[in-house]
Amino acid sequence: MGLAAGSRSWPIGRSANWRGNWPPRRPAAPAPPDWKLESIRTGSGPKALRVHVGDCAMSGGKPLGREEARRMLAEGVEPCPYCNPENPLGMTG
């Protein structure tokens, strides 16, 4: 199966299945959590440091639910200064 003289296209059969030998695609990454809790390790165990919006790139962290994130902020855990999680949680002011 070769190319015809002067032809610039792929041989028949090859163009229809050009991805046939490639490995399968990776599964899609899971959706980020709605909220995250950044913590630090201390001598007495982990300590809550900041609450983040789920897609904030400034921190990884433990996933939180909406009510848990609101409670953490109300208890004095610092909000992230970059993603400002208190705004979408309705806790500004």
Side-chain angles (χ1 to χ4, degrees):
M1 175 171 27
L3 292 174
S7 173
R8 294 185 186 263
S9 62
W10 289 97
I12 295 174
R14 190 165 184 189
S15 62
N17 193 16
W18 64 275
R19 295 187 76 168
N21 294 331
W22 287 19
R25 291 183 180 191
R26 288 187 216 149
D34 291 334
W35 314 99
K36 296 185 287 190
L37 176 65
E38 177 184 358
S39 60
I40 57 172
R41 290 197 287 182
T42 65
S44 59
K47 178 182 179 224
L49 185 63
R50 288 188 193 99
V51 175
H52 296 267
V53 173
D55 60 356
C56 179
M58 299 309 289
S59 172
K62 173 186 157 192
L64 294 175
R66 180 179 181 87
E67 292 307 314
E68 193 174 9
R70 289 177 61 90
R71 184 178 52 80
M72 297 297 274
L73 290 169
E75 290 175 358
V77 176
E78 182 181 338
C80 172
Y82 300 102
C83 65
N84 299 309
E86 68 277 16
N87 291 340
L89 286 170
M91 299 180 70
T92 57

